[in-house]
Amino acid sequence: MANTRFLLPLTFVLLFATFGGILSVNSPNITTDQSALLALKSRITYDPHNFIANNWSTSTFVCKWIGVICESRHHRVVALNLSGMGLTGTIPSQLGNLSSLARFDISDNTFHGSLPIELANLHQLEYLNFGSNNFEGEIPSWFGYFTELRSLFLHGNNVMAEMTYLSLYNNSLDGNIPMEIGNLTMLNSLLLGYNNLTGPIPSSIFNISSLQEIVLGNNNNLFGHLSSNIFDYLPRLLRLNLVGIQLSGRIPSSLFKCKKLEYLELYDNNLEEDIVPLGITNLTSLVYFSMPKTNLSGRIPRLQPSLQGYGVADNNLVGEIPCSICNLSSLDSLYLSENSLDGKIPECIGNLSSSLSIVELQNNNFHGEIPETFSQGCTLQIFRINNNQVEGSLPRSLVNCKYLNLLDVGNNYLYDTFPNWLGILDRLQVLILRSNRFYGQVDNSNASDVSVSFTHLRVIDLSHNNFSGYLPTKFFENLQAIREEHEKKVEPEYLKYSLDDGSIYYVHDLYFTTKGLEREFHSLVIIWMAIDFSNNQFFGEIPKTLGQLHSLIVLNLSHNSLTGSILSSLGDLTELESLDLSSNKFHGRIPSELKKLGFLTVLNLSQNNLVGPILQGKQFDTFTNDSYMGNWGLCGLPLSKSCGNDEETPGNNNSEDDGDGELNWKFSILMGYGSGFVVGLSMRYIVFTIGKPRWLIRIITRVEQRFEKWYRSKLFG
């Protein structure tokens, strides 16, 4: 690696061994720094220009020494730059006392020996350049303690030659992977995933016959070609991760010679369309197989009994799930979504539920019924069969799945009553029954055999079914997770699951209806709270308990037969971003309390019997006609129907909107009609010049109209 620079910015993580016994320094000061630098001077055996020998002296203030930079307040050494001085020597342990050091550059010299463990005390280090010296041995494991490190240069040394484990996983590394990495002939693990590496994948990597792990995935700007023989020299390979990089070619036949391979992840690439290779059956040790979005076609082959994770989602696969799946007694996750698979869901899926955590079968052509055999001790966390042609009812044996977090059976042909019995699952967060044939009441007060709770439910979608009756008051009272207050400013966590192989699964591709349009949400955040009861046959008034669900983000009750007035307490749902009450029978005025919904971006009150003026100001100035159409009694902007003079516009409670009502009319009398008109024209010019919002234009217009009306009454009696 003598001529190659490998820049490693951000936290440098190396997993070699547990480090202990780091030297601690009490109350370090400039005297401490001076002693450390004098120790370095004593180790320098060759100084051709006498930079150090003549200048580094106790008779001169240390901050004036060549190559030394101090910060002004405490006079601590923050940078040491000795690059290109032709120095020869070794690094003393005392340099670990430079506890304020942020930049350390001794490149292009001939320092040699090993690096002392005391350097791990340099916790403020951001830039470290030891390049082009003669250091030897492995990169020390304690480099991982440089938590502030942004850049590291180790090129042109003899380090790494005997390295067996190189882990730079999940940092912000950039630049190219050097071809010289192939010189690490004893390397067992190469973990460079989740970085910003660019350029071609060095072919020399695939010549390191000792390699057991290759993880280069999630470096979007890496690219390479998979030739047919590329894996010929990797007989010991256990794990291969080339996820999310720009690969070309087909799945190499040489891959199936890696008989010890356990983890294979090649998804989200640009591989050419290919039939699922039969050679995959030769990988008898395979534990985790993940190749979604890889243009695979054909049928799923016979599955290895050793499999724990199997993922071929978002491909072009056809046919049925092979019966060999019933032999996978250790299967933990099954991802078959977004294909053209058909047939029935194997009955043994229920029997495998004592090991399965995640089953994703959505967006296929499966038919028949859901298996009835979810076993005692079921470990299922996610079960998604939405967008298929599944019939029958929900199997009651799902109550055995105590860890179930997400159940999505939407867009099928299920015929059943509301599953109150699922309330016993106290970890259930997402329940989606949309677009089926469910019927009857939701709040079944006669169900004495089960305690209906749903206390952890965050998302419930019952839309496009045949549910009827009153909105379920008791059900809403039990939604404790949505009732609880939460801080909007808190960074959201994603609904995610850690799998046995160490990978992370994120809930994604869920659909909600907002303003009549079905929208896809690629990731579901923990703070996402949604209730969708639209397109059913609910009637009666909105229960007051609904106004207590303070964390609600989406509320859709549209296309029912709900009556009464719109609850003013809906204004207490201050986190609400989408509110759809359209196509019901609501009457009365729009409550002014809705102006408190500061995050509201979607509003649909159309096709009701509402009357009176539309709220003005703030976010209500952003809603268009279609938010209010079909309410013949509504008036005011954005509708073309204006309100009468005796009808006041409600909800303008802030000082900006009410300024016209507080004008000093005695002053206006003194100014007279003429000057008032001039002021009005001037204000209009300012408004259109600087682009003020519509609410200000409307205020000015109303002021002019009121002033003109007053002046005429005085002038003509």
Side-chain angles (χ1 to χ4, degrees):
M1 300 177 65
N3 298 316
T4 303
R5 295 193 172 194
F6 194 13
L7 177 60
L8 312 178
L10 283 184
T11 305
F12 192 87
V13 181
L14 292 171
L15 306 176
F16 289 96
T18 302
F19 169 72
I22 297 179
L23 177 67
S24 61
V25 181
N26 294 323
S27 302
N29 51 38
I30 190 61
T31 304
T32 307
D33 294 349
Q34 177 179 282
S35 298
L37 294 175
L38 289 175
L40 175 61
K41 177 182 178 180
S42 68
R43 292 290 192 92
I44 294 176
T45 58
Y46 182 61
D47 181 4
H49 305 291
N50 291 318
F51 287 139
I52 306 300
N54 293 339
N55 184 259
W56 285 23
S57 169
T58 55
S59 62
T60 305
F61 184 44
V62 64
C63 294
K64 294 185 178 180
W65 291 359
I66 288 176
V68 176
I69 299 176
C70 300
E71 51 92 16
S72 57
R73 184 176 180 184
H74 299 292
H75 297 291
R76 295 296 310 281
V77 175
V78 294
L80 180 61
N81 186 352
L82 306 180
S83 62
M85 293 185 178
L87 304 174
T88 300
T90 59
I91 303 298
S93 61
Q94 289 90 333
L95 280 191
N97 296 340
L98 299 175
S99 54
S100 294
L101 195 66
R103 295 182 63 87
F104 189 11
D105 189 347
I106 55 172
S107 60
D108 297 305
N109 288 289
T110 51
F111 284 101
H112 56 87
S114 59
L115 299 175
I117 193 173
E118 288 79 7
L119 293 184
N121 283 321
L122 305 180
H123 298 301
Q124 305 301 318
L125 207 59
E126 298 178 4
Y127 178 94
L128 180 61
N129 193 341
F130 286 175
S132 297
N133 281 282
N134 289 326
F135 292 113
E136 57 191 21
E138 296 184 5
I139 295 178
S141 61
W142 42 262
F143 268 32
Y145 285 81
F146 296 146
T147 56
E148 300 297 322
L149 198 64
R150 299 293 185 271
S151 300
L152 172 65
F153 295 87
L154 291 177
H155 59 279
N157 285 282
N158 295 316
V159 297
M160 301 173 66
E162 298 180 357
M163 181 175 291
T164 61
Y165 192 95
L166 177 58
S167 174
L168 305 174
Y169 194 81
N170 198 19
N171 286 282
S172 296
L173 312 186
D174 56 22
N176 294 353
I177 303 175
M179 181 64 72
E180 287 82 357
I181 201 168
N183 296 333
L184 306 180
T185 56
M186 300 182 66
L187 196 64
N188 292 330
S189 298
L190 177 62
L191 310 179
L192 303 179
Y194 286 92
N195 285 291
N196 300 315
L197 299 174
T198 59
I201 299 173
S203 58
S204 60
I205 289 177
F206 302 95
N207 294 325
I208 306 175
S209 59
S210 60
L211 270 176
Q212 298 179 24
E213 293 183 283
I214 300 176
V215 178
L216 305 179
N218 293 283
N219 288 283
N220 295 333
N221 293 313
L222 275 182
F223 59 87
H225 178 76
L226 296 182
S227 60
S228 60
N229 62 345
I230 194 170
F231 296 106
D232 279 347
Y233 306 106
L234 296 172
R236 301 175 61 188
L237 193 63
L238 299 176
R239 182 181 183 186
L240 178 65
N241 181 329
L242 301 179
V243 171
I245 56 182
Q246 302 177 43
L247 295 178
S248 59
R250 296 177 180 269
I251 300 173
S253 57
S254 58
L255 179 63
F256 308 118
K257 298 178 182 179
C258 303
K259 298 295 183 62
K260 295 184 178 181
L261 195 64
E262 296 180 358
Y263 295 89
L264 176 59
E265 300 167 277
L266 294 179
Y267 59 88
D268 203 8
N269 284 296
N270 297 320
L271 295 174
E272 299 174 21
E273 183 173 354
D274 199 0
I275 296 176
V276 179
L278 294 177
I280 197 171
T281 58
N282 296 330
L283 303 180
T284 54
S285 299
L286 205 59
V287 172
Y288 190 83
F289 177 77
S290 183
M291 293 185 65
K293 297 183 180 180
T294 45
N295 290 317
L296 288 176
S297 60
R299 294 177 176 270
I300 298 176
R302 294 194 66 73
L303 301 178
Q304 297 86 336
S306 58
L307 275 175
Q308 296 177 16
Y310 189 75
V312 288
D314 205 355
N315 280 293
N316 303 306
L317 299 176
V318 297
E320 300 183 358
I321 299 177
C323 60
S324 57
I325 194 174
C326 298
N327 299 324
L328 309 184
S329 57
S330 300
L331 190 64
D332 175 72
S333 53
L334 180 64
Y335 305 96
L336 302 179
S337 61
E338 305 283 349
N339 280 288
S340 297
L341 299 171
D342 54 28
K344 294 184 178 181
I345 300 172
E347 191 72 20
C348 64
I349 288 289
N351 297 326
L352 295 174
S353 60
S354 58
S355 65
L356 275 171
S357 294
I358 299 173
V359 175
E360 295 210 338
L361 307 179
Q362 69 269 24
N363 293 293
N364 280 287
N365 299 312
F366 293 117
H367 61 269
E369 299 187 358
I370 304 173
E372 289 276 358
T373 55
F374 292 93
S375 60
Q376 290 285 343
C378 171
T379 59
L380 204 60
Q381 298 181 47
I382 295 176
F383 187 53
R384 302 180 68 184
I385 59 166
N386 49 294
N387 294 83
N388 280 285
Q389 302 168 28
V390 177
E391 302 171 333
S393 58
L394 278 180
R396 292 334 189 237
S397 59
L398 277 172
V399 296
N400 293 325
C401 303
K402 305 295 185 183
Y403 304 101
L404 193 63
N405 271 301
L406 186 152
L407 177 63
D408 188 349
V409 297
N411 294 86
N412 281 289
Y413 301 113
L414 294 173
Y415 183 77
D416 204 346
T417 56
F418 181 76
N420 283 296
W421 42 272
L422 284 175
I424 199 173
L425 302 179
D426 60 1
R427 299 195 183 189
L428 190 62
Q429 297 184 47
V430 179
L431 177 61
I432 300 179
L433 308 179
R434 64 177 295 153
S435 298
N436 278 283
R437 298 171 180 173
F438 287 95
Y439 63 93
Q441 297 185 13
V442 172
D443 197 357
N444 186 0
S445 58
N446 295 324
S448 58
D449 58 333
V450 64
S451 174
V452 181
S453 55
F454 296 103
T455 54
H456 288 81
L457 207 60
R458 300 170 184 269
V459 173
I460 178 166
D461 189 346
L462 308 184
S463 63
H464 297 272
N465 278 289
N466 295 314
F467 290 115
S468 59
Y470 295 102
L471 289 176
T473 301
K474 182 66 174 177
F475 180 85
F476 294 141
E477 288 178 354
N478 289 330
L479 298 178
Q480 295 296 329
I482 306 181
R483 290 169 65 93
E484 295 171 357
E485 299 280 359
H486 68 275
E487 290 292 335
K488 186 73 174 180
K489 297 180 181 179
V490 174
E491 184 176 352
E493 299 178 12
Y494 285 90
L495 197 58
K496 63 184 181 182
Y497 302 88
S498 299
L499 303 179
D500 289 341
D501 70 329
S503 60
I504 302 295
Y505 168 84
Y506 295 90
V507 174
H508 61 285
D509 299 336
L510 290 177
Y511 295 84
F512 298 101
T513 301
T514 58
K515 211 166 185 178
L517 298 175
E518 189 177 79
R519 296 174 57 197
E520 180 179 2
F521 294 82
H522 291 285
S523 295
L524 183 66
V525 293
I526 286 292
I527 64 167
W528 190 265
M529 310 285 188
I531 294 177
D532 191 345
F533 280 26
S534 64
N535 289 274
N536 281 284
Q537 300 173 31
F538 292 109
F539 54 79
E541 299 184 354
I542 299 177
K544 293 181 180 179
T545 54
L546 195 55
Q548 299 171 9
L549 303 180
H550 301 292
S551 299
L552 201 59
I553 304 293
V554 171
L555 176 60
N556 191 345
L557 302 177
S558 66
H559 293 85
N560 282 287
S561 297
L562 300 174
T563 57
S565 57
I566 297 176
L567 279 182
S568 60
S569 61
L570 292 184
D572 296 332
L573 307 181
T574 53
E575 305 295 332
L576 205 62
E577 297 179 14
S578 177
L579 175 62
D580 193 344
L581 303 178
S582 62
S583 298
N584 280 288
K585 300 177 181 178
F586 292 115
H587 57 77
R589 296 195 174 204
I590 302 174
S592 59
E593 287 81 359
L594 295 188
K595 286 200 68 177
K596 294 189 294 184
L597 304 180
F599 295 109
L600 197 64
T601 56
V602 174
L603 175 68
N604 195 350
L605 303 178
S606 64
Q607 306 301 328
N608 279 288
N609 300 316
L610 301 174
V611 298
I614 292 172
L615 300 180
Q616 304 295 318
K618 295 185 177 178
Q619 72 280 12
F620 280 87
D621 289 339
T622 67
F623 303 135
T624 55
N625 289 5
D626 57 356
S627 292
Y628 308 103
M629 58 190 294
N631 290 278
W632 302 112
L634 287 180
C635 60
L637 293 174
L639 299 178
S640 58
K641 179 182 178 182
S642 60
C643 298
N645 291 333
D646 58 340
E647 194 125 46
E648 295 184 2
T649 302
N652 297 326
N653 296 321
N654 58 57
S655 58
E656 292 180 325
D657 287 5
D658 286 343
D660 57 322
E662 299 174 0
L663 287 176
N664 188 327
W665 294 106
K666 293 182 181 180
F667 177 75
S668 299
I669 294 173
L670 294 176
M671 291 295 293
Y673 176 75
S675 59
F677 182 71
V678 172
V679 171
L681 288 178
S682 301
M683 287 296 292
R684 281 180 175 272
Y685 174 76
I686 294 172
V687 165
F688 288 112
T689 301
I690 66 176
K692 290 293 184 181
R694 290 182 295 173
W695 60 264
L696 182 55
I697 298 174
R698 290 198 295 272
I699 289 174
I700 295 169
T701 302
R702 291 199 298 271
V703 170
E704 290 178 346
Q705 291 173 345
R706 292 184 180 183
F707 190 88
E708 181 179 2
K709 181 179 180 181
W710 172 86
Y711 181 82
R712 289 181 180 275
S713 67
K714 294 296 181 183
L715 184 63
F716 300 110

